[in-house]
Amino acid sequence: MLDLNRLKALHAVSVYGSVGAAAEALMVTPSAISQQLAKLERETGAVLIERNGRGVKLTDAAGLLAEHAERILALVETAEADFEALRGEVVGKLTMAAFPTAARGIVPRALTLLKRQHPDLDLLLYEREPERQIRELVRGDLDLAVLQDWLNRPMALPEGLSRTTLLDDVADVVVPADHPLVNAERVRLSDLAGDNWISSTPGTVCHDFLVFLFRSEEREPRIVCMADEYPTHLALVAEGHGCALIPRLGRGPLPEGVAVLPVQPPPVRRIYAVWRTDAARRPAIRAATDALRSATDALRPACSELPGG
């Protein structure tokens, strides 16, 4: 009989491409992965791994077995979810991830609620950018992801994932306190097309959205500073190095030397929880999404109120 843990090791090598990467994903040592594969070779009587330079590659037999392993692991997850649903108990291990702002502003409160209400639930949290979360969710490395996109530029989700909206998070422009438009009730981004801008790094959701907004008006933002933490953006704005588009959840306390200007039309970032549809019956998934909703309830007035609302 094939051992499930050995199939899991083979599947991880197939997905991640190396023994080392598979070990990191499964949080074991590379030696442990190699031992599992050696035992699986003895069980099957087939060669599964071949040396390929400094690494390894899967044989045709291993590729076939890895395909079956993927289906077997999916069936096991469904069976576990159904069994937990039958018992109605919030138990087992739940692996979550969130993008940095949510990991700081939403998830800590949700984890507190979960631990208080469901002490037998084993929680593990990672901070991840949205694209990586989606890949890990599809592969089964995560059970629940907290993602973001923008209302006029939504992120497509792969088939087999479900989601629920947690929060609409309005973004404002933060400018130096001596900016000529500092007394304006609201501004359009085109009013600031000639300014220097501070943004996150290319490839991130917020950087790409800022560029998208400007290009929608046939403009190009003049980005002079790039950093991935909003407090860094605020510090640069306070010293007069440019303007920044910052969602309210990520803004935090404002330093001296900056002013906040509402944008018209308001850019709105949507934050939501995502899980594999096959695991939706797990009570732990439902409990975690309920905790995330509770954590965002108190944030909604400050984050979602539109200018003039």
Side-chain angles (χ1 to χ4, degrees), residues 83-162:
F83 189 65
E84 287 183 23
L86 181 65
R87 291 188 301 172
E89 298 176 358
V90 180
V91 295
K93 182 177 180 180
L94 186 75
T95 304
M96 298 175 58
F99 63 94
T101 305
R104 180 176 64 251
I106 297 174
V107 176
R109 177 60 181 165
L111 293 183
T112 298
L113 293 172
L114 278 171
K115 288 183 177 181
R116 181 185 304 156
Q117 297 169 2
H118 308 289
D120 293 329
L121 184 62
D122 184 13
L123 294 164
L124 180 62
L125 171 68
Y126 293 100
E127 184 178 283
R128 297 278 195 264
E129 289 296 337
E131 292 80 4
R132 182 175 177 182
Q133 289 189 64
I134 290 175
R135 292 195 301 269
E136 294 184 347
L137 193 60
V138 169
R139 287 196 300 249
D141 301 332
L142 295 177
D143 299 309
L144 188 67
V146 180
L147 302 175
Q148 60 169 329
D149 63 15
W150 297 85
L151 289 190
N152 54 346
R153 201 181 188 196
M155 178 185 295
L157 291 180
E159 185 178 351
L161 298 183
S162 299

Side-chain angles (χ1 to χ4, degrees), residues 36-267:
Q36 294 279 30
L37 295 177
K39 291 176 181 178
L40 189 57
E41 285 186 326
R42 290 196 293 272
E43 284 180 349
T44 59
V47 176
L48 302 177
I49 299 292
E50 293 178 344
R51 289 291 172 188
N52 183 29
R54 299 181 63 182
V56 298
K57 67 175 183 179
L58 298 182
T59 64
D60 290 343
L64 177 64
L65 190 55
E67 291 178 5
H68 286 292
E70 182 175 11
R71 292 192 290 271
I72 290 167
L73 294 171
L75 285 171
V76 169
E77 178 180 46
T78 302
E80 289 175 343
D82 287 346
F83 189 65
E84 287 183 23
L86 181 65
R87 291 188 301 172
E89 298 176 358
V90 180
V91 295
K93 182 177 180 180
L94 186 75
T95 304
M96 298 175 58
F99 63 94
T101 305
R104 180 176 64 251
I106 297 174
V107 176
R109 177 60 181 165
L111 293 183
T112 298
L113 293 172
L114 278 171
K115 288 183 177 181
R116 181 185 304 156
Q117 297 169 2
H118 308 289
D120 293 329
L121 184 62
D122 184 13
L123 294 164
L124 180 62
L125 171 68
Y126 293 100
E127 184 178 283
R128 297 278 195 264
E129 289 296 337
E131 292 80 4
R132 182 175 177 182
Q133 289 189 64
I134 290 175
R135 292 195 301 269
E136 294 184 347
L137 193 60
V138 169
R139 287 196 300 249
D141 301 332
L142 295 177
D143 299 309
L144 188 67
V146 180
L147 302 175
Q148 60 169 329
D149 63 15
W150 297 85
L151 289 190
N152 54 346
R153 201 181 188 196
M155 178 185 295
L157 291 180
E159 185 178 351
L161 298 183
S162 299
R163 64 179 163 187
T164 186
T165 299
L166 299 174
L167 183 69
D168 284 348
D169 186 20
V170 176
D172 303 300
V173 170
V174 182
V175 300
D178 59 357
H179 193 280
L181 295 177
V182 71
N183 293 318
E185 289 187 9
R186 62 197 67 181
V187 296
R188 299 185 67 88
L189 285 184
S190 57
D191 298 333
L192 302 164
D195 286 73
N196 291 336
W197 282 86
I198 297 149
S199 178
S200 51
T201 51
T204 58
V205 173
C206 291
H207 173 278
D208 293 350
F209 183 66
L210 178 66
V211 173
F212 168 78
L213 286 178
F214 271 94
R215 289 179 180 173
S216 297
E217 300 194 15
E218 299 184 349
R219 304 292 183 96
E220 195 74 21
R222 187 165 66 233
I223 298 173
V224 298
C225 299
M226 286 178 281
D228 288 332
E229 294 293 333
Y230 289 129
T232 306
H233 293 198
L234 290 171
L236 290 164
V237 173
E239 291 296 328
H241 296 293
C243 308
L245 183 69
I246 301 182
R248 294 175 184 174
L249 180 63
R251 199 163 68 198
L254 293 174
E256 293 185 6
V258 306
V260 176
L261 302 179
V263 180
Q264 188 64 37

